[in-house]
Amino acid sequence: MEAAAFLSDKAAAISVVEKHEFPFQKTLGPQVGGAVLKMLQSKGVKFYMKKELHELKGKDGKVSHSLAAFVLTPFLAGVTPNSAFLKGTSIAKDNSGAILVDLRMQTNIPNVFAGGDVVSFPVALLNGDHSSIHHQQVAEAHGSIAAFNMLKKQKELHTVPFFWTTMLGRSIHYAGRMGQRERGMKGHNSLHPSAFYSRDGFVTAAASLNCDPTVSLIAEVLYLGKKISKEEAE
Ligand SMILES: Cc1cc2nc3c(=O)[nH]c(=O)nc-3n(C[C@H](O)[C@H](O)[C@H](O)COP(=O)(O)OP(=O)(O)OC[C@H]3O[C@@H](n4cnc5c(N)ncnc54)[C@H](O)[C@@H]3O)c2cc1C
């Protein structure tokens, strides 16, 4: 999405092919995705939603426009855990191929650690349910915890997933985690100024568009182990 936003006033035409209904849907949820979709559409970006790319056909079978390939590459990255190299080992993975780790980032094999996009780990905000979270901050937290435990300094992961980016001069912040059971509470396809996700009456994630530092403050509250009720958020 960042590439599409950056190129929106430079390229002659930009098309985004996305297999879900909204961009960022699995990572950030439909509210954030819907807001991004509208922002980019207003800049002329064309979206082909719920579609999968199978082939690029150029003139006479050749894609001559180098930019097309450039834009596609990052979109394909990070979608599927790159764990094929573990084939033949007994390291446990989930159905998507993500490596299963505990809160010390240890796999089912003692002294074998993993972290980042390739793992599925217990998420405190989801009552310990496993989830794969593809954020830079999460990968850094995993790396730090794995290193401590590799050095036998027992330490468990304690973090609130945090994602940030900027698009078309506006900041998008997202803290927490929206799992399968979470529901959006405010607005639909908009982030003006913030959206919340809740489970069993309590906030598990919040997102905002150009409304800082709201989400940072919410992350801080969640980090301290405090609960924010649905009513308080509303
Ligand atoms: C286009 C794009 C935009 C993003 N924007 C944001 C953002 O705005 N904010 C945010 O928080 N997050 C963002 N992310 C997500 C963030 O980049 C990732 O969550 C983070 O980089 C994960 O870190 P990692 O170390 O797990 O994986 P990576 O950063 O992907 O690093 C994995 C490394 O391992 C290498 N590797 C893979 N397989 C092998 C192998 N078999 N042998 C040796 N090396 C191997 C890869 O080449 C790569 O260098 C974005 C991701 C993408 C793709």
Side-chain angles (χ1 to χ4, degrees):
M1 295 312 127
E2 286 91 342
F6 176 74
L7 293 170
S8 62
D9 60 354
K10 297 170 185 69
I14 301 172
S15 298
V16 174
V17 182
E18 161 67 59
K19 72 175 180 180
H20 299 290
E21 195 178 350
F22 298 105
F24 290 138
Q25 183 162 329
K26 275 191 86 181
T27 333
L28 306 180
Q31 265 109 337
V32 180
V36 169
L37 179 82
K38 280 186 183 170
M39 264 166 59
L40 292 177
Q41 277 175 334
S42 73
K43 295 288 174 187
V45 177
K46 266 190 144 180
F47 282 86
Y48 296 89
M49 308 313 288
K50 291 181 154 178
K51 302 270 187 299
E52 284 195 54
L53 200 68
H54 293 285
E55 196 179 1
L56 265 185
K57 273 188 181 171
K59 207 176 171 203
D60 303 325
K62 283 185 184 167
V63 180
S64 56
H65 212 299
S66 57
L67 210 53
F70 163 75
V71 175
L72 280 165
T73 311
F75 281 83
L76 297 173
V79 175
T80 318
N82 190 356
S83 60
F85 72 99
L86 293 174
K87 200 174 171 196
T89 73
S90 46
I91 291 180
K93 292 180 275 177
D94 70 9
N95 291 339
S96 75
I99 301 167
L100 291 165
V101 292
D102 60 20
L103 281 174
R104 297 191 303 120
M105 310 318 295
Q106 187 168 247
T107 65
N108 60 315
I109 309 293
N111 298 318
V112 177
F113 297 85
D117 283 5
V118 80
V119 303
S120 176
F121 65 102
V123 179
L125 283 168
L126 302 182
N127 297 329
D129 288 355
H130 269 74
S131 189
S132 281
I133 302 185
H134 299 176
H135 303 345
Q136 185 185 321
Q137 170 268 340
V138 171
E140 286 176 13
H142 285 176
S144 159
I145 294 299
F148 274 113
N149 287 297
M150 288 163 95
L151 295 170
K152 308 289 177 208
K153 297 186 192 305
Q154 306 285 327
K155 204 166 177 176
E156 291 199 336
L157 184 72
H158 174 59
T159 191
V160 173
F162 197 91
F163 174 98
W164 74 98
T165 189
T166 56
M167 230 173 268
L168 304 173
R170 286 188 262 182
S171 67
I172 295 176
H173 284 180
Y174 182 97
R177 181 58 173 164
M178 186 202 65
Q180 301 288 332
R181 289 173 47 204
E182 281 61 43
R183 292 283 166 263
M185 285 164 48
K186 249 190 180 180
H188 185 64
N189 302 349
S190 73
L191 285 176
H192 297 293
S194 49
F196 293 92
Y197 300 90
S198 69
R199 179 197 263 204
D200 300 332
F202 291 97
V203 169
T204 60
S208 73
L209 177 69
N210 239 15
C211 184
D212 308 326
T214 308
V215 168
S216 306
L217 296 172
I218 290 167
E220 188 69 22
V221 172
L222 296 175
Y223 183 78
L224 293 171
K226 294 181 184 157
K227 292 195 173 242
I228 304 170
S229 71
K230 204 175 157 202
E231 291 71 32
E232 278 177 292
E234 281 167 347

